[in-house]
Amino acid sequence: MKRTSGVLAVVVTFAATAIAAQAEEFRLGLLTPPPHIWTKAAEAFGAELAEKSGDAHSVAVFPARQLGNEAEMLQQLQTGALDMAFMTVAEVSNRATDLGAFYAPYLANDIAHAGRILRSDTAKALLEPLPGQVGVVGLGYGMAGLRQIVSRGEVESAADLTGLKLRITPFTPILDFYNALGAAPTPMPLPAVYDALANGQVDAIDMDAELIWVLKYYEHADTVIQSDHMMFPMVGLVSARVWADLSEEDRAMIGELMAKHVDGTIDSYVAKEAGWLEQIKDTGKAFRKVDASFFGGAVDDWNAIWSEKAPSLDALRTVAAETK
Ligand code: BEZ
């Protein structure tokens, strides 16, 4: 009897140790501020992971660049110092050039079309090389709104953007676009943008409707141009090193839940984008809605550069045509 209970105690202790070893608090980093749709999605992912794992796992969310800018967070993911991130595809495309295909100007006709492109198997297949190329596992896409332009001065035609210091997210496809246009693209991470526009460090910014409205960038502008010129995908990432140490069961649970919550951001932008644009219009700032013709030869120039750089561009164009 005594011997049996001793064995039992050892078994129980061993099992408890095994469970404790698997239980984990994951750290998830983002650039976006606490009220942003991406940050809310990260928190919802963490809450559902805790629930579905019976509180074995939890997620500590670090918004607003608390763990560094996206380039730094990507490095931390590579070494395993950071477990997870919801990150702009823009940043990942600095290491995996083919992802630059998403930024083909006017690939998507509107925000819902952008969502359909991102939900395609072709788009999903672009995540497959990431563990080998970048050291991260991409579990699914989300998005922010289509890109617009906010300018401190009057802008009636693209010629008025010539030579302007125009803030861009730091990644090559957008740099190539504004260089082709003759502007002076100025790479700057999101948290620095408000002050830079307010104090005139930049003349204009490339931004989405949500942030133009919610972070009040329009307050420091004379003109808002609704150009809808590019989509802006996000990707849910796990460090490949961290992923390698997870059980099959945990991979399945984390994979499914992260994909679900990043995908949910697509629905949010499709539902809300038009409302933000209406509210921006109602501010009384000069508001121009333009199409690809506004940018003259810059769209063709971009296509010429990126059809060489991004082999997946043709496949994404096929998906775009099929999902119109
Ligand atoms: C930006 O760089 O403009 C940006 C980054 C993350 C979310 C939305 C916008």
Side-chain angles (χ1 to χ4, degrees):
M1 182 74 181
K2 226 176 180 180
R3 188 165 181 279
T4 310
S5 60
V7 170
L8 198 63
V10 170
V11 170
V12 169
T13 309
F14 179 79
T17 310
I19 289 166
Q22 285 168 8
E24 206 155 344
E25 180 179 68
F26 298 104
R27 297 163 79 241
L28 188 156
L30 314 104
L31 193 65
T32 49
H36 191 270
I37 287 171
W38 294 5
T39 313
K40 296 280 176 217
E43 284 162 357
F45 159 66
E48 195 170 354
L49 182 62
E51 184 203 320
K52 294 273 160 65
S53 67
D55 282 329
H57 298 317
S58 59
V59 178
V61 176
F62 295 88
R65 212 170 53 152
Q66 283 176 44
L67 302 179
N69 61 33
E70 285 196 326
E72 289 161 342
M73 282 192 273
L74 194 51
Q75 268 177 0
Q76 293 164 29
L77 287 169
Q78 288 172 322
T79 62
L82 176 62
D83 303 305
M84 300 172 172
F86 286 4
M87 188 170 281
T88 64
V89 169
E91 180 58 46
V92 187
S93 78
N94 288 329
R95 315 282 179 99
T97 312
D98 207 17
L99 292 174
F102 283 115
Y103 302 96
Y106 296 100
L107 178 68
N109 296 337
D110 54 38
I111 189 90
H113 188 208
R116 291 193 293 279
I117 295 169
L118 288 170
R119 284 172 169 156
S120 68
D121 289 341
T122 303
K124 283 182 192 134
L126 294 186
L127 297 177
E128 281 164 19
L130 291 187
Q133 268 181 356
V134 189
V136 292
V137 178
L139 293 175
Y141 294 105
M143 63 149 72
L146 299 178
R147 304 307 286 186
Q148 323 295 355
I149 300 169
V150 175
S151 164
R152 284 169 61 94
E154 292 289 321
V155 177
E156 296 199 351
S157 72
D160 294 328
L161 297 173
T162 307
L164 290 196
K165 285 191 83 178
L166 194 152
R167 175 272 166 177
I168 56 165
T169 307
F171 72 114
T172 313
I174 195 98
L175 183 76
D176 288 345
F177 181 66
Y178 283 110
N179 273 332
L181 196 64
T186 307
M188 184 178 287
L190 185 63
V193 175
Y194 187 89
D195 287 348
L197 187 66
N199 66 26
Q201 190 189 336
V202 291
D203 306 304
I205 60 173
D206 181 280
M207 189 50 65
D208 63 56
E210 176 192 20
L211 294 178
I212 295 169
W213 173 247
V214 175
L215 297 186
K216 300 192 190 317
Y217 292 128
Y218 64 85
E219 284 183 348
H220 300 286
D222 296 310
T223 311
V224 178
I225 301 167
Q226 184 193 345
S227 48
D228 295 332
H229 52 276
M230 279 179 193
M231 65 161 86
F232 204 72
M234 172 263 267
V235 60
L237 299 175
V238 177
S239 159
R241 289 192 173 198
V242 171
W243 189 255
D245 288 341
L246 294 175
S247 67
E248 279 302 321
E249 195 187 321
D250 283 346
R251 284 185 196 174
M253 182 166 33
I254 289 167
E256 183 194 324
L257 293 180
M258 190 181 278
K260 171 182 159 182
H261 286 279
V262 292
D263 181 87
T265 65
I266 296 177
D267 294 327
S268 299
Y269 283 95
V270 171
K272 293 182 175 175
E273 175 117 318
W276 290 316
L277 287 165
E278 278 310 311
Q279 292 176 98
I280 295 166
K281 254 189 220 169
D282 288 348
T283 60
K285 302 283 175 184
F287 188 97
R288 297 193 202 301
K289 184 160 167 38
V290 303
D291 59 20
S293 62
F294 175 84
F295 294 103
V299 173
D300 286 344
D301 290 351
W302 190 96
N303 288 332
I305 299 169
W306 280 85
S307 56
E308 300 285 320
K309 285 193 190 179
S312 292
L313 190 50
D314 284 346
L316 277 186
R317 284 200 195 289
T318 303
V319 170
E322 287 167 356
T323 55
K324 250 183 192 158

